Amino acid sequence: SDIIIDVAHLNFYYGNSQALFDLNLTFPRRQVTALIGPSGCGKSTFLRCLNRMNDLVDVARMEGSIRLDGTEINSGELDVIELRRRVGMVFQKSNPFPKSIYENVIYGLRIAGINDKHVLDETVERSLRGAALWDEVKDRLHESALGMSGGQMQRLCIARAIAVNPEVILMDEPCSALDPKSTARVEDLIKELRDQFTIIIVTHNMQQAARVSDYTAFLFEGLLIEFDKTSKLFVKP
Ligand code: ADP
Ligand code: ADP
């Protein structure tokens, strides 16, 4: 089907405070969907529902259904480790570990118990190429990732996300800590990755949504106000 994620009647609460109200939307496969809206409208909360990161919050409670290719993600059919392999996440601030660039890329494979050097080497090259970073770092794969620039670190986190071959990549304001030049590189990369992955990107930057996304969802105070093709919602300059 052309739909990869189907969200139906999603309500989300932090204790007694409701953060999301009866959200209904579907995400088209191998497209970029931007989630936009003012600070506090529930963008991060919604993103964290999609890979069950909210499970970490004690007072969190979710109602409704989120299906990933037909499988309810909040059921026994899909454990959380498998879910997070299929739905990767790139955070607002890149967070490389104090380890080599190489080890940062293959972090998810190590967790999965994959230690075959040939497989790891291939994955590192494929993922760094996919994240448009290979040429810059191929001669220093075994140096610490902490010596990279901010823009490189953000692309490293994208490489780490794609290393495990996810179906969906969630990005929570991936450019908010980057300078304009690095932002442009990451935006170009997002457009390229669409051929292989379904991307859901949270941004508070409307111009960015217009530049990178195929679909746009507007949230306001926990409600879905609009969801449509980006070309219908924005008049491109
Ligand atoms: P956005 O990402 O759009 O800025 P959030 O999803 O972070 O919005 O927040 C939505 C609402 O939920 C806000 O009112 C925020 O204060 C509240 N909220 C977010 N995280 C928590 C939390 N861990 N505990 C309690 N309330 C939270
Ligand atoms: P952002 O708006 O960039 O998502 P915030 O600075 O609002 O981030 O929140 C930082 C962290 O604090 C997040 O993990 C969020 O879940 C949590 N948080 C936000 N609002 C609240 C709240 N009202 N109560 C408790 N935790 C919150």
Side-chain angles (χ1 to χ4, degrees), residues 65-131:
S65 151
I66 301 175
R67 291 181 172 275
L68 173 63
D69 262 334
T71 304
E72 175 56 50
I73 69 160
N74 286 289
S75 71
E77 290 171 72
L78 193 57
D79 75 37
V80 75
I81 305 278
E82 172 67 3
L83 173 63
R84 293 199 189 136
R85 196 201 59 73
R86 293 175 62 183
V87 181
M89 181 90 155
V90 174
F91 296 93
Q92 182 170 4
K93 286 216 191 71
S94 48
N95 50 344
F97 311 114
K99 288 192 167 190
S100 66
I101 292 169
Y102 185 99
E103 283 298 325
N104 267 277
V105 175
I106 58 161
Y107 172 76
L109 281 81
R110 292 272 192 221
I111 288 184
I114 298 165
N115 290 303
D116 181 300
K117 186 170 182 306
H118 184 67
V119 171
L120 297 180
D121 287 353
E122 269 189 358
T123 301
V124 167
E125 180 166 348
R126 169 180 62 78
S127 308
L128 288 171
R129 283 190 189 282

Side-chain angles (χ1 to χ4, degrees), residues 116-188:
D116 181 300
K117 186 170 182 306
H118 184 67
V119 171
L120 297 180
D121 287 353
E122 269 189 358
T123 301
V124 167
E125 180 166 348
R126 169 180 62 78
S127 308
L128 288 171
R129 283 190 189 282
L133 193 56
W134 175 251
D135 290 336
E136 286 163 61
V137 303
K138 63 175 189 279
D139 298 324
R140 52 185 179 110
L141 294 177
H142 297 284
E143 291 173 26
S144 172
L146 303 184
M148 307 173 92
S149 72
Q152 288 176 329
M153 283 187 193
Q154 199 57 305
R155 280 178 285 142
L156 178 67
C157 292
I158 293 172
R160 184 197 294 159
I162 66 185
V164 296
N165 279 320
E167 291 148 63
V168 180
I169 302 179
L170 310 177
M171 300 185 175
D172 197 352
E173 301 198 21
C175 300
S176 64
L178 301 181
D179 60 48
K181 200 166 160 226
S182 298
T183 296
R185 288 209 73 162
V186 171
E187 288 183 0
D188 287 344

Side-chain angles (χ1 to χ4, degrees), residues 14 19 37-46 48 57 59 202:
Y14 292 105
S39 185
C41 72
K43 301 183 296 296
S44 305
T45 298
F46 177 67
R48 292 192 301 254
V57 181
V59 294
V202 163

